[in-house]
Amino acid sequence: MKKPLIVANWKMGLSFAESIRLAEEFGRTLAEQMSQKEIVICPSSIALSDIRRLKIGLKLGAQNVSWELKGKLTGEVSAHDLVSLGCEYCIVGHSSRRQYLGETDKMVHEKTKACLFAGIIPIICIGETWDEKDAGKRDLRIIEQLHSVFKDLVVSDNKRQIIIAYEPIWAIGTGQSIEPTDTFRVADLIRHTLRDFFDQSIIDNQFNILYGGSVSGKTVASFFAHDSINGVLVGSDSLRMDLFKSIVDNI
Ligand code: PGA
């Protein structure tokens, strides 16, 4: 079995000072679990370099990246700079960016490309809205998103990882729970769809699938009941040490 991956997406939930304090607490509290579990924190980009200097033993991820490697995009951060800030991971296409900041499937494709080029592991978020689910279009939307990310994307057989986070938009930050069997079904659909683009050995060795959406200490174990889910992406409950620890403890 692969090492479970737990990604904390702090979004804009903490100030700079709070981020540093919580990162230190994460480092102290989770130190013993780091050898069995891969724990990644994704703070706001301004806190990355200070958190790196704390040397707390946790992996670092960014919440966003530019699709350009260098250029004129005011306010954006390049994948190469994220590497120099210590990031090994980057969340790409989070639903809040798609919903409120106009991020399109095409941008998600380009950002994934930029991450892979710079040597960052992309955590690509996909998922359906409630209306799409209600209309029986969940699977179609998942396939559509995967096709636009991976069409014409070269993934060399070099053990570089790619992570897909299945996050139903209706379950994010709402406390609404999803049936774990539904997440296993979607994970199977994702692996099946990836076969349109990659050899089975690349899918088995280089791809991991996470679930995200109102994950808590109470629900987390149910997502690991089947080995099709390799980890979780946690928003709200990653902002408090006790709640996040309960998630890590229960995996
Ligand atoms: P949530 O957020 O855990 O608060 O639902 C998950 C996410 O947005 O990645």
Side-chain angles (χ1 to χ4, degrees), residues 9 11 94-95 125 167 171-174 212-215 233-237:
N9 177 11
K11 307 184 187 179
H94 188 272
S95 66
C125 299
E167 297 207 297
I172 295 177
T174 59
S214 298
V215 173
L233 178 52
V234 186
S236 323
D237 280 16

Side-chain angles (χ1 to χ4, degrees), residues 88-106:
E88 288 179 50
Y89 294 82
C90 181
I91 297 172
V92 178
H94 188 272
S95 66
S96 53
R97 297 198 60 85
R98 293 178 187 259
Q99 207 174 346
Y100 303 114
L101 295 158
E103 200 152 302
T104 62
D105 287 344
K106 170 139 179 39

Side-chain angles (χ1 to χ4, degrees), residues 28-193:
R28 275 196 309 274
T29 313
L30 303 172
E32 281 176 14
Q33 310 217 42
M34 288 179 204
S35 58
Q36 306 104 47
K37 296 161 192 174
E38 181 95 332
I39 304 168
V40 181
I41 49 175
C42 302
S44 91
S45 58
I46 55 154
L48 283 168
S49 103
D50 287 70
I51 292 179
R52 180 197 200 181
R53 273 192 236 115
L54 298 174
K55 297 197 188 319
I56 49 175
L58 295 163
K59 306 277 180 177
L60 267 185
Q63 298 177 14
N64 183 34
V65 65
S66 172
W67 61 81
E68 295 279 353
L69 292 170
K70 195 177 170 69
K72 297 178 181 164
L73 296 178
T74 304
E76 291 291 289
V77 178
S78 77
H80 287 307
D81 272 347
L82 292 180
V83 172
S84 56
L85 290 170
C87 287
E88 288 179 50
Y89 294 82
C90 181
I91 297 172
V92 178
H94 188 272
S95 66
S96 53
R97 297 198 60 85
R98 293 178 187 259
Q99 207 174 346
Y100 303 114
L101 295 158
E103 200 152 302
T104 62
D105 287 344
K106 170 139 179 39
M107 291 176 195
V108 177
H109 167 85
E110 294 297 331
K111 289 179 177 204
T112 302
K113 231 160 72 178
C115 285
L116 292 175
F117 187 76
I120 291 182
I121 301 169
I123 302 172
I124 304 156
C125 299
I126 59 172
E128 80 286 359
T129 61
W130 180 264
D131 286 350
E132 285 162 344
K133 175 183 154 66
D134 211 30
K137 293 189 174 151
R138 179 194 68 189
D139 290 4
L140 195 68
R141 183 66 190 126
I142 298 294
I143 294 168
E144 210 172 71
Q145 288 175 95
L146 289 171
H147 270 248
S148 52
V149 176
F150 291 111
K151 187 170 176 283
D152 300 329
L153 193 92
V154 179
V155 175
S156 50
D157 185 5
N158 62 2
K159 308 278 176 280
R160 181 159 290 163
Q161 277 189 69
I162 298 181
I163 295 169
I164 297 171
Y166 169 54
E167 297 207 297
I169 295 167
W170 50 270
I172 295 177
T174 59
Q176 278 216 55
S177 56
I178 181 169
E179 277 300 318
T181 46
D182 275 342
T183 65
F184 307 146
R185 245 177 248 135
V186 173
D188 288 345
L189 173 70
I190 292 171
R191 288 202 172 80
H192 190 79
T193 308

